[in-house]
Amino acid sequence: MAEEVTGSSPPAKSNGRRRGDGVFRSMTTGSSLVIVVSIGLIGLFLLIQAVPSLNANNINFFTSPEWATGEVGNLRFGIRDLLVVTVLSSLLALAIAMPLAMGIALFLTHYLQPKLARPFAYVIDLLAAVPSIVFGLWGAKVLGPALEPVATFLNENLAWVPLFSDGNVSLSGGGNIFTAGIVLSIMILPIITAVSREVFRQTPVMQIEGALALGATRWEMIRTTVLPFGRSGYIAGSMLGLGRALGETVAVLIILRSATSSSTFSFFDGGYTFASKIASAAPEFSEPLSTGAYIAAGLVLFVFTFAVNALARYVAGRGKAKAS
Amino acid sequence: MAKRFDIKDLNIYYGKFHAVNSVNLAVPPRNVTAFIGPSGCGKSTVLRSLNRMHEVIPGARVEGKVLLDGEDIYASNVDPVEVRRTIGMVFQRPNPFPTMSIRDNVVAGLRLAGVKNKKHLDEVAERSLRGANLWNEVKDRLDRPGGGLSGGQQQRLCIARAIAVQPDVLLMDEPCSALDPISTLAIEDLITELKKEYTIVIVTHNMQQAARVSDQTAFFNLLGVGQPGQLIEVDDTEKIFSNPGQKATEDYISGRFG
Ligand SMILES: Nc1ncnc2c1ncn2[C@@H]1O[C@H](COP(=O)(O)OP(=O)(O)OP(=O)(O)O)[C@@H](O)[C@H]1O
Ligand SMILES: [Mg+2]
């Protein structure tokens, strides 16, 4: 009874507020729907374009290293090597960038005076503004040749580790995953550093003082408070970096040499990543069936990147739930 | 274990700002000294200078001497990390390490000091939690995170953490101000208990609390806006609350008591 009364004649003011709430809610719901729907549509578009080519494929799409789409009557394409090169270069990039970014972020937030930290942080952020084509040229022309002795040394001394065994391209010039991974690590450094810096900075002063008052040195304080507090943010930031590395196109395209034989799962392989393979064939997208093969590769990259981002979100969300 | 403090001509600055002017004060061992005074008069500042915690703040510095059993904690060869290991501190808001287990919180200080023996750590954890009157409430969930306790329990956990390293002195900055009356009483009882073994300095805004737990009381005041805080007088708590030597002290105390 009482409910009915308040329900039928709410005060005018609250009515207006409710309408505002409603408008706001439908706006936010609408815009999130738009995002979800467009992601779905992109996926659907890729799928529709890819299916005819996948049906016409004469070899296994997932396990074959071959890629021949010239003859429409005899399509032979598989993503094994694209996946291997993409994953190896991105993981190498991550393995280098993650510890480096953590070190820089800790240094900026907990060692350097704020006055000095600001310009330093600015320089790192500027790295993100360098166009990938510049990174690509630098990697191919400067870093690759410079790394050649290092790569040779690793290959000669650590060849029993599969990752450092002989690759499918010559070591000279450095047009291999090793160089590409290092260039990628520099490219993803700013995003990981920026995210980690933000979370490390937000460590509650109360906790920091608690650790210091117990007689912790600065590093011990960081280990007991800053790192546990920032862990999930740091991981989420690294996942964002990984997403960027997986999708990087032009720098990798310029750096990696094309290989005549299939991948040997070594850092000294050449070849293509998903993105660089698709970009390399862009001028020839006239025949729908051959194009579909590339779109199928794009679809795999899309799903892969999507999964990585979802993982990042999950990790970040779980950290937040724990903190509250 | 319990040691005495002798504070001589202590001046404290935040950058150019002179926060506390020329404090002279003796803190006897196995004794509770209360700091009272209006907000902003420098009680926390003085307290934090007693274990060099103020050095965490950029630009903060002190002049003068703080002698712990005759040894100057500001001597050039003294490491602030060592000072903080022997002079424990409990803060206004409970600050356990939230993701660390209750047991690990208690022995965090010992771990930092390099103690690894698990049996010894477990013993210390139990002894300290008993000492902080928390053992019965948490003994069945020592592996659960410290952040999951109530505010009062968290504060007692912080006290357990501070006494686990058996410090020479225990500094407390308004340890009950975020707590309900029952938790407050529990902590006051605990302070009376701890006094048998430790030298305690406590900052409080609660006159009754100062009267209940302390043996001597130091009254700080501000002479004016922008002026440094001063130690007005220090005497036996009974004397300060019944017959203070300074008019300012009497005004402050009677104002509070209405
Ligand atoms: N980190 C800081 N930087 C600069 N000035 C500070 C800092 N901390 C305290 N001060 C100043 O030092 C003076 C004393 O502050 P303090 O915190 O010691 O007062 P308090 O007596 O503890 O006050 P309260 O009872 O409110 O806690 C104040 O004028 C305050 O503004
Ligand atoms: Mg204070």
Side-chain angles (χ1 to χ4, degrees):
Chain A
M1 184 63 201
E3 261 173 40
E4 219 171 73
V5 172
T6 47
S8 60
S9 62
K13 206 171 166 192
S14 110
N15 198 6
R17 199 178 294 155
R18 254 182 229 169
R19 193 175 303 133
D21 270 358
V23 170
F24 185 67
R25 179 173 319 136
S26 38
M27 261 167 57
T28 48
T29 319
S31 36
S32 20
L33 264 182
V34 167
I35 294 172
V36 172
V37 167
S38 28
I39 290 178
L41 284 181
I42 293 173
L44 196 66
F45 160 82
L46 294 176
L47 199 62
I48 290 173
Q49 306 268 313
V51 165
S53 311
L54 286 170
N55 283 333
N57 193 3
N58 287 322
I59 51 174
N60 189 306
F61 176 63
F62 290 105
T63 58
S64 167
E66 219 183 310
W67 193 280
T69 54
E71 262 179 84
V72 176
N74 183 21
L75 286 181
R76 303 174 69 81
F77 60 95
I79 56 164
R80 193 199 79 169
D81 277 12
L82 303 185
L83 188 66
V84 170
V85 176
T86 305
V87 168
L88 277 188
S89 58
S90 300
L91 286 185
L92 177 60
L94 210 56
I96 297 170
M98 276 182 76
L100 208 57
M102 178 188 276
I104 295 173
L106 287 176
F107 181 66
L108 289 177
T109 50
H110 291 283
Y111 284 90
L112 215 54
Q113 300 172 8
K115 243 187 234 159
L116 296 174
R118 219 162 295 136
F120 198 138
Y122 184 66
V123 171
I124 307 262
D125 288 345
L126 264 187
L127 268 185
V130 176
S132 354
I133 185 88
V134 174
F135 275 115
L137 287 170
W138 175 73
K141 298 292 162 207
V142 183
L143 188 68
L147 281 175
E148 199 186 307
V150 182
T152 311
F153 176 85
L154 290 173
N155 180 230
E156 276 169 8
N157 294 284
L158 291 174
W160 50 274
V161 181
L163 288 176
F164 296 115
S165 59
D166 289 342
N168 59 10
V169 293
S170 135
L171 281 176
S172 76
N176 48 34
I177 296 175
F178 189 62
T179 308
I182 292 174
V183 171
L184 283 175
S185 76
I186 301 170
M187 295 176 73
I188 65 176
L189 192 64
I191 176 79
I192 307 181
T193 309
V195 173
S196 316
R197 212 173 61 208
E198 270 328 297
V199 290
F200 291 162
R201 202 207 310 283
Q202 283 166 11
T203 315
V205 175
M206 268 177 16
Q207 281 181 39
I208 294 179
E209 292 193 332
L212 290 175
L214 275 182
T217 61
R218 191 167 293 243
W219 167 239
E220 289 165 340
M221 177 276 285
I222 286 173
R223 242 182 30 205
T224 45
T225 63
V226 178
L227 293 185
F229 179 83
R231 197 187 116 260
S232 59
Y234 169 66
I235 292 175
S238 306
M239 291 295 134
L240 289 179
L242 177 59
R244 161 120 213 246
L246 289 171
E248 176 50 41
T249 308
V250 77
V252 178
L253 181 64
I254 295 178
I255 293 169
L256 285 185
R257 271 192 199 200
S258 55
T260 47
S261 59
S262 59
S263 159
T264 63
F265 299 88
S266 156
F267 281 146
F268 306 125
D269 280 343
Y272 292 93
T273 63
F274 285 109
S276 72
K277 185 76 189 174
I278 297 168
S280 72
E284 295 139 38
F285 287 164
S286 47
E287 177 55 53
L289 267 186
S290 341
T291 311
Y294 290 94
I295 288 179
L299 184 62
V300 174
L301 177 61
F302 176 78
V303 171
F304 204 80
T305 312
F306 200 74
V308 165
N309 272 309
L311 190 68
R313 242 152 249 263
Y314 171 72
V315 170
R318 205 182 43 170
K320 228 175 262 155
K322 215 193 275 165
S324 65
Chain B
M1 257 189 20
K3 291 189 177 170
R4 62 176 293 118
F5 261 131
D6 289 287
I7 302 166
K8 303 231 158 109
D9 259 331
L10 187 70
N11 283 279
I12 311 173
Y13 303 82
Y14 289 107
K16 291 209 175 72
F17 176 61
H18 191 180
V20 176
N21 187 30
S22 192
V23 171
N24 284 285
L25 177 66
V27 175
R30 293 196 184 75
N31 182 294
V32 179
T33 300
F35 286 2
I36 60 171
S39 190
C41 65
K43 304 177 297 292
S44 301
T45 302
V46 172
L47 192 77
R48 291 165 66 94
S49 71
L50 298 184
N51 71 343
R52 299 184 67 167
M53 269 306 286
H54 71 289
E55 289 176 14
V56 173
I57 298 160
R61 68 196 162 82
V62 306
E63 282 168 9
K65 280 199 166 86
V66 177
L67 305 176
L68 184 66
D69 266 7
E71 310 243 0
D72 189 358
I73 64 169
Y74 283 98
S76 56
N77 60 346
V78 175
D79 179 357
V81 168
E82 286 306 317
V83 171
R84 293 180 201 136
R85 274 191 189 160
T86 55
I87 304 176
M89 189 160 211
V90 176
F91 296 81
Q92 183 167 357
R93 308 255 314 271
N95 60 352
F97 303 124
T99 50
M100 230 184 239
S101 74
I102 292 172
R103 179 196 285 108
D104 288 348
N105 258 288
V106 178
V107 298
L110 285 180
R111 285 242 168 84
L112 289 174
V115 179
K116 294 223 169 61
N117 184 325
K118 177 155 184 325
K119 193 154 158 283
H120 178 57
L121 289 176
D122 283 346
E123 280 167 16
V124 172
E126 175 168 349
R127 175 165 19 96
S128 312
L129 284 168
R130 281 189 194 281
N133 278 331
L134 188 59
W135 175 253
N136 286 327
E137 288 157 71
V138 302
K139 62 171 187 266
D140 300 322
R141 44 173 168 161
L142 292 173
D143 292 319
R144 305 274 290 281
L149 298 173
S150 78
Q153 291 171 328
Q154 288 190 12
Q155 192 64 306
R156 277 178 283 153
L157 178 61
C158 291
I159 294 176
R161 182 174 73 180
I163 60 179
V165 292
Q166 304 199 290
D168 297 330
V169 183
L170 203 52
L171 307 174
M172 300 179 152
D173 194 349
E174 301 185 43
C176 302
S177 64
L179 305 183
D180 70 295
I182 293 178
S183 308
T184 301
L185 275 184
I187 290 187
E188 287 180 10
D189 288 347
L190 178 57
I191 291 171
T192 314
E193 199 57 32
L194 293 173
K195 169 171 99 167
K196 293 176 194 152
E197 286 181 69
Y198 298 96
T199 306
I200 296 173
V201 184
I202 178 173
V203 174
T204 177
H205 276 292
N206 180 330
M207 295 301 130
Q208 289 97 324
Q209 182 169 72
R212 278 193 300 261
V213 302
S214 72
D215 301 299
Q216 72 166 355
T217 298
F219 173 62
F220 291 81
N221 205 357
L222 275 172
L223 296 184
V225 182
Q227 300 271 352
Q230 305 259 4
L231 173 60
I232 302 298
E233 66 174 313
V234 50
D235 213 326
D236 288 346
T237 298
E238 241 169 78
K239 173 114 192 317
I240 290 277
F241 281 94
S242 59
N243 184 20
Q246 301 285 327
K247 175 130 192 335
T249 315
E250 192 176 352
D251 288 349
Y252 182 72
I253 290 168
S254 56
R256 283 304 167 114
F257 279 147

